[in-house]
Amino acid sequence: MSKVLTCEKLTKVYGKEKTALDGIDLELDFGRIVGLLGPNGSGKTTLLKLANGLLQPTEGRIRIAGMAPGPETKELVSYLPDADWLPDWMRVEELVEMFRDFYGTPSQAKAYIGFDAAKANEMLARLNIAPNARLKTLSKGNKEKVQLVLAMSRHARLYLLDEPIAGVDPAARDFILRTILTNYNEEGTVLISTHLIADIEKVLDEVILLKDGALMLHESVDRIREERGKSVDALFREVFKC
């Protein structure tokens, strides 16, 4: 089976001067939870947008399950951007229906794609988010929870989450991490971009460290702890210390 994500000499340059990604070589297997780590401006969001087909490489290539990002990969990828993007005049229940209509329901033939409305409604109820509430009436944290619930209720092969816990209070972070752990398709892979490493380290199988658009490290969390004798958070602080 193909890797869920493959990058070969992947390069993205904005304009004439800003190199966001510089020759990235990377392979991710199915069934992993991977932290995409690095300071602001390291290229994390650019990589996620390239994987989702929102940007095109300047050089090199990127593949999702062996395919170039495009119409064929849209049903395989669930993307959560780092900005509000849903129509804020819609009610929460209308958003759930919109996702179900757009993505369809999982079938036996393609159980790994589609949208599970029942799962979304269950998670929203546990978060005490009223289905008839309009998005614009919710707090910033609750808006982000709604967006996360919709993304994680997709049956996908690759989940791209850009800073999914940055805008919520610490008390809600554990719930959100449990939501990610218990609701993604276990045959898929979750790629989480974040700078809140201490909060998310406990759920990760692997980490990717980016610095100035270059790949500094791609390693399993267990190997980092065993061979380096330190946590991922400690390693990050060492690599990126001022």
Side-chain angles (χ1 to χ4, degrees), residues 4-160:
V4 68
L5 176 67
T6 304
C7 303
E8 298 176 359
K9 305 300 180 186
L10 183 64
T11 299
K12 181 62 182 178
V13 179
Y14 295 110
K16 296 183 178 180
E17 299 181 355
K18 174 60 177 175
T19 300
L21 291 176
D22 189 7
I24 299 292
D25 289 316
L26 180 68
E27 290 185 343
L28 295 183
D29 289 316
F30 288 89
R32 308 292 282 171
I33 299 181
V34 184
L36 180 61
L37 313 179
N40 292 336
S42 59
K44 303 187 299 296
T45 294
T46 296
L47 178 58
L48 295 184
K49 287 183 175 180
L50 285 163
N52 197 47
L54 295 175
L55 296 173
Q56 294 299 314
T58 304
E59 295 179 15
R61 70 176 197 164
I62 184 169
R63 293 292 182 267
I64 307 297
M67 300 179 286
E72 299 84 3
T73 64
K74 291 298 184 183
E75 64 183 10
L76 304 181
V77 177
S78 181
Y79 174 53
L80 177 68
D82 64 345
D84 294 339
W85 61 278
L86 295 170
D88 66 359
W89 54 267
M90 294 185 72
R91 300 184 190 276
V92 173
E93 59 193 358
E94 292 173 333
L95 291 167
V96 172
E97 289 301 312
M98 180 179 73
F99 266 61
R100 179 164 60 182
D101 290 344
F102 187 81
Y103 292 107
T105 56
S107 65
Q108 288 184 335
K110 290 187 175 182
Y112 58 86
I113 64 170
F115 179 76
D116 190 335
K119 178 189 290 186
N121 287 325
E122 177 186 351
M123 286 192 281
L124 290 166
R126 290 171 60 195
L127 287 166
N128 296 315
I129 295 175
N132 64 347
R134 293 194 187 277
L135 198 62
K136 63 184 176 183
T137 67
L138 300 179
S139 67
K140 185 178 188 300
N142 278 343
K143 285 181 183 178
E144 294 192 357
K145 291 173 188 175
V146 170
Q147 293 184 157
L148 177 66
V149 164
L150 293 173
M152 297 312 299
S153 297
R154 291 273 312 281
H155 283 221
R157 303 308 297 270
L158 179 61
Y159 298 82
L160 304 173

Side-chain angles (χ1 to χ4, degrees), residues 165-178 196 199 202:
I165 62 173
V168 299
D169 58 90
R173 287 176 189 164
D174 282 343
F175 178 86
I176 288 174
L177 293 177
R178 288 198 305 271
L196 299 172
D199 292 280
K202 58 191 173 186

